[in-house]
Amino acid sequence: MPSTDLDWWRDAVFYQVYIRSFADGNGDGVGDLAGIRARLPHLIDLGVDALWITPFYPSPMADHGYDVADPRDVEPTFGDLAAFDALLADAHAAGLRVTVDLVPNHTSHAHEWFEAALAAAPGSPERARYLFRDGRGSDGAEPPNNWPSVFGGPAWTRVPDGQWYLHLFAPEQPDLDFTHPEVLADLEETMRFWLDRGVDGFRIDVAHGMAKPSGLPDMLPMEDTGLLADHGPGDHRFDDDGVHEVHRRIRRVLDEYPGRMAVGEVWVSDDDRLAQYLRPDELQLAFNFKLLTAEWDAEDLRTAIEHSLATVEGTPAPACWVLSNHDRPRHVTRYGDGIVGTRRARAAALLQLALPGVAYVYNGDELGLPDVDLPDEALQDPIWERSGRTERGRDACRIPVPWSGDEPSYGFSSRRDTWLPMPEGWDRLTVAAQADDDASMLSLYRRALELRRTSSALRGDGLEWLPAPAGCLAFRRSGGLVCLVNLSADDVPLPEGELLLASTDVSDGVLPVDAAVWLRA
Ligand code: GLC
């Protein structure tokens, strides 16, 4: 078992396993639990502390598992409960914690509750667990309000008897009504089910959703109402004050299990509103997405860091840094792709991992994977169809991980065809190709994570900005680490101090453009 330190998560490095794309154990071209178990040695060598595994519950896969038909079982594509237990046991034996996704805001349309709701009449108790409403206009032919789905189109779908139901995401993901006592009771049962099996915590999906304002009033019309952005107080779909009562209930269950934690996916950018989710009786952690949405620009990144630190100041929570995930373009691509994007991604890794608090690494970050442009016919994300084929969606950042070999599927699966096709030319990005190359992204991550574990320079919550050349960022951690990132157009001199790690060669005493360095002051 991992060490018994109850606050283990406060400075942990979590590794996000997007289960469909990490490793395929049964040769069907889709990742699974057996695949993760077989690849644990990679995660141990990498040096992460914990896993977050994306949903592996029974699901029709309208949103690739975020449409959950039964939150207390395993989708056969991914394995079974015995496979989960075996993975958990092996991970714990190796000192790795395991956290799983909790998807409270909605179920799948194939959930037994929703099937019962469709079979029942308007006004029935079966419908009361979801948000069924009569429409507006003559014959109720207009949706009950003006809310759009974040995947495109209206957030309402009409059923044959004329009522409408709410789905902030796809029509196959009906929103639950959190004022219904059974809804929260069932969520608590799901939490206990996984906690009793031994999981170390949860990542809570759409943790700013769940509660809806009573009367479901129209929202402020907005240009971009798309996926996972925060549109502020006029957007009544998210961040309703009632959500905090849900978080208090979640926390009460967690507190029965010492040492377990929850991190929320909270797309709320106002520092004070985000901080409310981190009150002592709510979430232990909330993703801060400001690094993920910042440009490769010194001002922008500094602002992102300052706001993230300001958010947690005055809460019990540490900051929680994310560079990439399964919903956004990968940072190699955001920063310009190719050689430039990769250089910047190396520097960004040292920036992220130098900051005080928690870091989330998305599978493939450690290999420097870029996004992949897929042909129309390969696209799977519901956003593609729902947007009338105007938004390509998130498949580009979800390509399976390359492990070894010269051609697709690079050791990911025993078959060549994978659920999303893998590109030619990824042979130099595989784990095997990078493992023994000191100059690789993988070696940089391993070294950085080893220093995080072993060097006292990377301890302490305090961060102090240091004077830096124009276009550069420099700060000191209270443990003594100095991190300098060069986002300017010229080389800059290396500061004084013992060199711990650099994203590029700094032997001539200068830090090149788009590079970062760790020193001990
Ligand atoms: C979260 C997930 C995303 C999913 C959505 C709906 O934002 O990260 O992948 O589509 O919730 O569950």
Side-chain angles (χ1 to χ4, degrees):
M1 279 295 285
S3 77
T4 53
D5 175 10
L6 295 182
D7 272 0
W8 59 271
W9 43 268
R10 291 196 72 86
D11 57 358
V13 176
F14 285 77
Y15 185 92
Q16 178 189 353
V17 172
Y18 187 70
I19 187 163
R20 297 180 69 81
S21 297
F22 185 66
D24 175 15
N26 69 354
D28 64 357
V30 180
D32 50 37
L33 294 168
I36 304 173
R37 186 173 174 217
R39 293 299 188 181
L40 285 177
H42 169 65
L43 302 177
I44 295 160
D45 290 346
L46 181 58
V48 296
D49 303 297
L51 309 189
W52 151 32
I53 308 174
T54 59
F56 48 83
Y57 318 115
S59 165
M61 300 289 157
D63 187 21
H64 295 120
Y66 283 97
D67 47 322
V68 180
D70 177 356
R72 299 186 282 276
D73 203 350
V74 173
E75 163 66 31
T77 312
F78 299 135
D80 54 21
L81 282 169
F84 179 78
D85 292 341
L87 166 60
L88 188 63
D90 281 10
H92 280 171
L96 281 172
R97 260 99 177 185
V98 177
T99 66
V100 300
D101 230 302
L102 205 60
V103 188
N105 180 68
H106 43 265
T107 69
S108 161
H109 66 143
H111 191 288
E112 60 178 6
W113 278 0
F114 195 70
E115 289 180 342
L118 284 186
S124 59
E126 287 82 358
R127 287 209 173 168
R129 299 187 191 105
Y130 293 91
L131 292 152
F132 280 85
R133 294 290 183 274
D134 294 328
R136 298 200 282 206
S138 60
D139 312 337
E142 301 290 322
N145 70 20
N146 70 350
W147 295 3
S149 147
V150 297
F151 288 164
W156 295 93
T157 290
R158 202 170 194 196
V159 300
D161 58 42
Q163 275 209 313
W164 299 74
Y165 68 89
L166 180 72
H167 52 86
L168 295 185
F169 296 87
E172 296 88 351
Q173 293 167 294
D175 280 51
L176 288 162
D177 185 345
F178 268 80
T179 64
H180 193 297
E182 278 179 42
V183 169
L184 256 170
D186 191 72
L187 177 62
E188 293 175 341
E189 189 177 332
T190 299
M191 291 179 68
R192 289 206 171 83
F193 178 87
W194 295 106
L195 290 166
D196 289 340
R197 291 198 108 78
V199 304
D200 298 285
F202 300 101
R203 175 267 188 187
I204 301 182
D205 189 63
V206 198
H208 58 320
M210 303 182 278
K212 312 288 187 302
S214 65
L216 304 176
D218 278 344
M219 60 184 270
L220 223 67
M222 294 176 185
E223 279 280 298
D224 172 17
T225 51
L227 181 70
L228 312 180
D230 167 32
H231 312 290
D235 185 347
H236 300 315
R237 300 172 301 172
F238 298 107
D239 194 30
D240 182 72
D241 285 334
V243 76
H244 296 288
E245 181 50 27
V246 179
H247 285 296
R248 285 189 281 271
R249 292 281 295 266
I250 290 173
R251 181 60 178 264
R252 261 180 258 153
V253 175
L254 278 175
D255 283 346
E256 295 168 25
Y257 297 81
R260 321 291 176 95
M261 52 72 69
V263 58
E265 182 205 25
V266 186
W267 281 94
V268 169
S269 54
D270 180 80
D271 297 347
D272 296 330
R273 291 211 58 98
L274 181 53
Q276 292 186 11
Y277 290 79
L278 296 168
R279 289 179 285 203
D281 56 351
E282 298 196 36
L283 291 164
Q284 282 98 340
L285 296 172
F287 289 131
N288 200 304
F289 291 123
K290 292 196 169 75
L291 272 192
L292 180 89
T293 47
E295 300 287 319
W296 185 250
D297 170 82
E299 246 337 279
D300 229 35
L301 287 170
R302 181 169 169 152
T303 307
I305 294 167
E306 283 174 340
H307 278 282
S308 306
L309 294 172
T311 296
V312 294
E313 211 181 85
T315 78
C320 182
W321 310 100
V322 183
L323 271 180
S324 282
N325 66 23
H326 65 295
D327 290 326
R328 288 281 174 148
R330 285 182 174 274
H331 53 279
V332 167
T333 297
R334 295 202 311 272
Y335 296 154
D337 254 331
I339 292 172
V340 170
T342 302
R343 279 181 64 83
R344 292 175 174 173
R346 292 175 65 88
L350 292 197
L351 172 63
Q352 181 196 18
L353 296 171
L355 291 166
V358 175
Y360 272 79
V361 173
Y362 174 42
N363 60 203
D365 283 0
E366 80 280 25
L367 304 177
L369 296 187
D371 275 13
V372 175
D373 285 328
L374 294 173
D376 292 1
E377 61 278 9
L379 296 180
Q380 307 248 354
D381 189 343
I383 290 177
W384 173 237
E385 293 297 340
R386 297 269 313 154
S387 68
R389 303 194 163 199
T390 56
E391 305 277 337
R392 301 190 74 75
R394 301 160 290 177
D395 296 315
C397 68
R398 297 175 173 179
I399 307 300
V401 168
W403 293 92
S404 59
D406 299 330
E407 52 180 52
S409 58
Y410 306 101
F412 165 76
S413 171
S414 57
R415 57 193 278 169
R416 190 188 162 94
D417 304 337
T418 47
W419 76 282
L420 291 172
M422 300 179 71
E424 301 295 330
W426 270 20
D427 48 312
R428 47 183 191 87
L429 292 176
T430 64
V431 173
Q434 297 198 36
D436 299 320
D437 174 1
D438 280 347
S440 70
M441 188 73 86
L442 180 56
S443 297
L444 182 73
Y445 267 87
R446 284 181 178 165
R447 186 76 192 114
L449 293 182
E450 184 187 334
L451 283 166
R452 254 182 92 107
R453 280 195 311 277
T454 56
S455 170
S456 60
L458 281 110
R459 307 249 156 85
D461 287 342
L463 180 150
E464 176 201 351
W465 293 103
L466 301 175
C472 294
L473 289 179
F475 59 84
R476 185 180 10 236
R477 285 278 295 274
S478 39
L481 177 85
V482 169
C483 176
L484 171 68
V485 190
N486 183 359
L487 301 107
S488 77
D490 299 297
D491 295 352
V492 297
L494 225 49
E496 296 285 301
E498 173 203 348
L499 178 66
L500 295 177
L501 187 61
S503 67
T504 191
D505 180 28
V506 292
S507 52
D508 52 1
V510 298
L511 182 66
V513 175
D514 292 334
V517 64
W518 287 1
L519 303 145
R520 188 200 295 270

